[in-house]
């Protein structure tokens, strides 16, 4: 039986690849896509999510609009990485499928209450505002979540948006704190692993050779890799968010360690830092499986094979 997931997202080219990978994978049943403000404002993320579903010819997927700003802080966006629309690259047609009327947070709460306990996995690949709001509003759902597999944070790699913090956690650290303290089984894909999932020319050309959808994916990676290559001097750009979906399909591609992770919410200097106790120095109980390494060739082979099926 396919594993039921809800993707909570702020697309974003790498979010888009994660969504395509999920839609291409029979091991997963996507119950819905909940959008949040992050890489770009909510009006763009909701439009982009529908464009991606239409690209994959999956107009049956329900897309929900969620929170348009973090719990307490002002929204910080990342157009400098993803472009004005968040999905710059080949321009996709405006979506014709409708956005659901229900708010994303209400959908999360209703689904977790109606599906069998422990059967739904949440996959947040943007700021954690929707998930934390649902937990605050309906604490009874917390024990019903099977697992949360999220992209966010960093340890050895430290920060990408400030010297101390990764973007998804930095944008809404209060939300991240709620999720990391919830007691739900967490799997975390930090920059330490996503920065090992780099695009290369042959990997991008393999996408491009797949036909229309592969060409679109190649145009996205071409667009955002210029930023990372300039910044890090790396050969390509990290495909952060698809690591979450790949872990659900092929966990053997990854290794990590169960550790305690706390979120900095007080100091402006280190706001949003994931204080990851990799060496177990605090004796605080582990609350997350923090992933550290990836078989990057296996990851790109999986991605290419699956996108070829769309
Ligand atoms: C994360 O931030 C966003 O820009 C990406 O989509 C990814 O979710 C990486 O820090
Ligand atoms: Ca994202």
């Amino acid at each position: 039986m396919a594993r039921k997931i809800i993707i909570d997202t702020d697309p974003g080219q790498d979010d888009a690849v994660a969504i395509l990978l999920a839609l291409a994978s029979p091991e997963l049943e996507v119950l819905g896509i909940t959008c949040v403000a992050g890489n770009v404002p909510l009006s763009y993320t909701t439009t982009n999510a529908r464009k991606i579903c239409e690209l994959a010819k999956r107009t049956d997927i329900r897309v929900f609009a969620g929170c348009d700003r973090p719990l307490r802080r002002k929204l910080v966006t990342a157009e400098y990485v993803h472009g004005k629309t968040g999905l710059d690259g080949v321009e996709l047609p405006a979506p014709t499928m409708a956005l659901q009327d229900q708010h994303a947070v209400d959908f999360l709460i209703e689904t977790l209450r109606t599906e069998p306990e422990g059967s739904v996995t949440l996959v947040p690949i943007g700021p954690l505002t929707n998930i934390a709001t649902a937990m605050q509003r309906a604490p009874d759902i917390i024990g019903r979540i099977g697992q949360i597999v999220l992209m966010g944070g960093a340890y050895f790699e430290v920060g990408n948006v400030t010297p101390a913090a990764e973007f998804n956690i930095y944008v809404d650290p209060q939300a991240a704190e709620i999720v990391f303290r919830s007691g739900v089984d967490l799997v975390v894909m930090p920059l330490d692993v996503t920065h090992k999932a780099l695009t290369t020319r042959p990997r991008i050309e393999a996408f491009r050779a797949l036909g229309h959808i592969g060409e679109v994916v190649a145009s996205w990676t071409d667009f955002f890799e210029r930023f990372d290559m300039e910044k890090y001097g790396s050969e390509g750009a990290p495909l952060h968010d698809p690591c979450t979906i790949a872990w659900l399909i092929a966990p053997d591609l990854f290794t990590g360690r169960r550790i305690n992770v706390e979120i900095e919410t007080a100091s402006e200097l280190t706001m949003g830092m994931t204080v990851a106790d990799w060496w177990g120095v605090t004796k605080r109980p582990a609350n997350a499986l923090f992933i550290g390494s990836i078989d990057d060739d296996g990851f790109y082979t999986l991605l290419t094979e699956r996108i070829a099926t769309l």
Side-chain angles (χ1 to χ4, degrees):
M1 209 173 60
R3 185 166 175 171
K4 294 176 183 175
I5 66 167
I6 298 173
I7 304 176
D8 188 70
T9 177
D10 61 338
Q13 293 91 347
D14 61 321
D15 302 71
V17 179
I19 293 168
L20 290 179
L21 179 60
L23 296 180
S25 296
E27 299 90 341
L28 303 175
E29 180 189 352
V30 181
L31 299 180
I33 295 178
T34 52
C35 299
V36 68
N39 285 324
V40 283
L42 187 69
S43 60
Y44 281 115
T45 63
T46 52
T47 301
N48 293 346
R50 288 175 292 150
K51 284 182 175 176
I52 298 155
C53 291
E54 291 190 5
L55 177 69
K57 301 199 173 50
R58 291 297 302 274
T59 48
D60 58 304
I61 301 288
R62 291 180 297 162
V63 176
F64 300 82
C67 301
D68 65 358
R69 72 197 72 165
L71 295 185
R72 290 204 228 140
R73 292 169 67 82
K74 240 180 106 218
L75 177 65
V76 174
T77 53
E79 285 87 354
Y80 56 94
V81 183
H82 300 275
K84 182 169 188 300
T85 67
L87 209 52
D88 284 20
V90 162
E91 199 173 325
L92 296 174
T96 54
M97 64 190 271
L99 202 53
Q100 299 294 308
D101 291 334
Q102 193 178 25
H103 192 283
V105 170
D106 295 326
F107 168 72
L108 283 163
I109 294 170
E110 184 187 288
T111 308
L112 287 161
R113 281 181 176 160
T114 50
E115 291 289 340
E117 185 175 323
S119 68
V120 177
T121 297
L122 304 183
V123 187
I125 51 179
L128 289 157
T129 321
N130 286 340
I131 311 295
T133 304
M135 287 178 168
Q136 277 186 321
R137 204 175 290 167
D140 58 291
I141 63 163
I142 296 172
R144 303 185 62 83
I145 302 170
Q147 197 170 43
I148 296 180
V149 182
L150 68 91
M151 191 280 138
Y155 175 48
F156 293 104
E157 288 277 337
V158 202
N160 61 353
V161 63
T162 74
E166 179 281 328
F167 180 80
N168 289 342
I169 307 295
Y170 177 75
V171 172
D172 199 342
Q174 281 76 23
E177 183 177 51
I178 289 168
V179 172
F180 276 78
R181 291 197 171 165
S182 66
V184 177
D185 181 9
L186 297 184
V187 179
V188 179
M189 293 290 163
L191 296 179
D192 304 274
V193 64
T194 68
H195 278 186
K196 294 174 186 138
L198 295 179
T199 57
T200 61
R201 271 302 108 198
R203 287 168 178 172
I204 292 179
E205 291 319 314
F207 289 142
R208 212 183 302 278
L210 298 176
H212 178 56
I213 296 186
E215 284 165 15
V216 174
V217 170
S219 83
W220 290 335
T221 51
D222 276 347
F223 181 84
F224 77 80
E225 76 170 14
R226 86 212 178 291
F227 170 80
D228 288 277
M229 288 165 78
E230 249 170 55
K231 181 172 170 194
Y232 299 108
S234 55
E235 194 192 348
L239 272 182
H240 305 281
D241 294 338
C243 290
T244 55
I245 303 292
W247 187 86
L248 287 167
I249 303 165
D252 291 349
L253 293 176
F254 300 88
T255 57
R257 198 182 277 194
R258 282 200 58 78
I259 61 167
N260 177 271
V261 183
E262 302 286 334
I263 311 294
E264 173 66 83
T265 57
S267 155
E268 207 47 57
L269 184 65
T270 51
M271 184 63 72
M273 185 173 187
T274 42
V275 181
D277 189 3
W278 189 258
W279 302 111
V281 294
T282 63
K283 311 290 177 240
R284 289 194 284 255
N287 58 350
L289 174 61
F290 210 67
I291 303 295
S293 65
I294 182 173
D295 168 357
D296 58 327
D297 283 330
F299 169 74
Y300 275 91
T301 302
L302 176 76
L303 258 179
T304 313
E305 282 173 2
R306 294 298 170 102
I307 288 170
T309 67
L310 287 172

